[in-house]
C-alpha cells in the first residue's frame, strides 16, 4: 500500500494542482459585451479594460467593475423660460444622444464618475449639463436667428457643452432641436411675417 502511495502521489499531486489552477482561472474568466467596458483592477497600477473581448480576473486579488457604453437618449428641456439676446422669453426642447467615449482618457474619466452606475443616472447628469449650456446659448442669440437656423443653435450648444461633458468622459453623438416656444406668440408672428415677405 505504501509503495502504491509513493508511486501515485508524485504523479497525482501535479495533476491536482494543475486542476485547481485551471478551476481558479476559469472562475475568473470574463467576457464583456460590445456596449460595456469591463475594468479589472487590483494587482497592477494600470487597469485592464475589455470592450467586447475576453480576459481573466484573478479571484480574491482583482476586482471587476462595469462601465456602460450604450447610447443614452435624453430629452433636454429648459425648466423655465430663458430670455434671448433680444429679451424674448422662450422655452427650448431638444433630443440629444450621448455616450461614454472610447478613448483611454475618456474611459478613465468616465470610470471615475460612472463606474457601475445605470444609464438613467448617467443621463440625468448629462441632462443638467446640457440644459445649462442650452440656456447660455439662448441668451447669446436672437430669437429669429435661432428659429430660422436650428442647426446653428444646435452646433453652438454642442460646442459649448462638449468640454464639460468631456471632463466626465462623455461625448455628444447627436443634438436635434425639437421646438422653440414662447407664451406671447412672437414665434408665430415671425412665421406670419415670413409668409407676407414671400407673398410680396
Amino acid at each position: 500500500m505504501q509503495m502504491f502511495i509513493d508511486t501515485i502521489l508524485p504523479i497525482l499531486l501535479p495533476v491536482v494542482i494543475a486542476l485547481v489552477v485551471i478551476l481558479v482561472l476559469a472562475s475568473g474568466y470574463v467576457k464583456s459585451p460590445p456596449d460595456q467596458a469591463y475594468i479589472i483592477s487590483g494587482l497592477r497600477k494600470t487597469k485592464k479594460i475589455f470592450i467586447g473581448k475576453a480576459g481573466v480576473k484573478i479571484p480574491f486579488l482583482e476586482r471587476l467593475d462595469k462601465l456602460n457604453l450604450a447610447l443614452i437618449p435624453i430629452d433636454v428641456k429648459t425648466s423655465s423660460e430663458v430670455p434671448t439676446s433680444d429679451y424674448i422669453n422662450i422655452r427650448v426642447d431638444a433630443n440629444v444622444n450621448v455616450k461614454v467615449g472610447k478613448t483611454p482618457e475618456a474611459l478613465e474619466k468616465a470610470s471615475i464618475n460612472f463606474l457601475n452606475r445605470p444609464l438613467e443616472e448617467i443621463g440625468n447628469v448629462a441632462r443638467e449639463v446640457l440644459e445649462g449650456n442650452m440656456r447660455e446659448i439662448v441668451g447669446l442669440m436672437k430669437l429669429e436667428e435661432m428659429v430660422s437656423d436650428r442647426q446653428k443653435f444646435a452646433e453652438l450648444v454642442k460646442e459649448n457643452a462638449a468640454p464639460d461633458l468631456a471632463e466626465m468622459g462623455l461625448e455628444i453623438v447627436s443634438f436635434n432641436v425639437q421646438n422653440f416656444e414662447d407664451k406671447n406668440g412672437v414665434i408665430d408672428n415671425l412665421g406670419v411675417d415670413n409668409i407676407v415677405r414671400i407673398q410680396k
Side-chain angles (χ1 to χ4, degrees), residues 63 79 118 139:
R63 64 173 283 164
S79 53

Side-chain angles (χ1 to χ4, degrees), residues 18-29:
L19 282 171
V20 169
V21 170
I22 291 167
L23 287 170
V24 167
L25 291 175
S27 69
Y29 175 83

Side-chain angles (χ1 to χ4, degrees), residues 28 30-33 36-58 62-69 100-101 103-117:
V30 294
K31 186 175 182 181
S32 70
Q36 275 197 332
Y38 280 12
I39 300 169
I40 296 173
S41 58
L43 283 178
R44 306 176 186 183
K45 287 183 180 178
T46 55
K47 301 169 186 172
K48 292 185 284 184
I49 300 174
F50 301 99
I51 302 171
K53 295 179 181 176
V56 175
K57 174 185 77 73
I58 300 171
E62 292 183 320
R63 64 173 283 164
L64 171 68
D65 294 292
K66 297 175 183 179
L67 181 63
N68 210 317
L69 306 178
V100 171
T103 64
E105 186 182 359
L107 287 168
E108 179 64 31
K109 288 179 178 178
S111 67
I112 292 168
N113 294 295
F114 305 118
L115 211 58
N116 302 316
R117 302 257 186 106

Side-chain angles (χ1 to χ4, degrees), residues 101-199:
K102 286 190 178 181
T103 64
E105 186 182 359
L107 287 168
E108 179 64 31
K109 288 179 178 178
S111 67
I112 292 168
N113 294 295
F114 305 118
L115 211 58
N116 302 316
R117 302 257 186 106
L119 284 178
E120 186 181 345
E121 194 172 328
I122 301 172
N124 288 337
V125 173
R127 182 183 291 108
E128 289 180 14
V129 172
L130 287 161
E131 185 187 338
N133 282 276
M134 199 157 69
R135 296 173 73 91
E136 189 177 330
I137 298 302
V138 168
L140 297 174
M141 294 181 73
K142 290 184 176 180
L143 178 61
E144 188 171 0
E145 186 183 8
M146 280 187 284
V147 173
S148 62
D149 194 350
R150 293 184 178 198
Q151 190 60 38
K152 180 183 177 182
F153 173 78
E155 287 299 324
L156 286 171
V157 177
K158 281 171 68 177
E159 286 173 17
N160 208 49
D164 294 337
L165 291 171
E167 282 302 310
M168 296 183 284
L170 300 175
E171 60 184 39
I172 300 171
V173 178
S174 65
F175 189 109
N176 296 301
V177 178
Q178 297 301 301
N179 203 15
F180 293 107
E181 292 178 358
D182 76 288
K183 287 182 179 177
N184 300 315
V186 179
I187 293 172
D188 292 337
N189 290 335
L190 283 174
V192 171
D193 289 344
N194 285 335
I195 291 168
V196 171
R197 284 196 205 109
I198 291 165
Q199 286 175 342

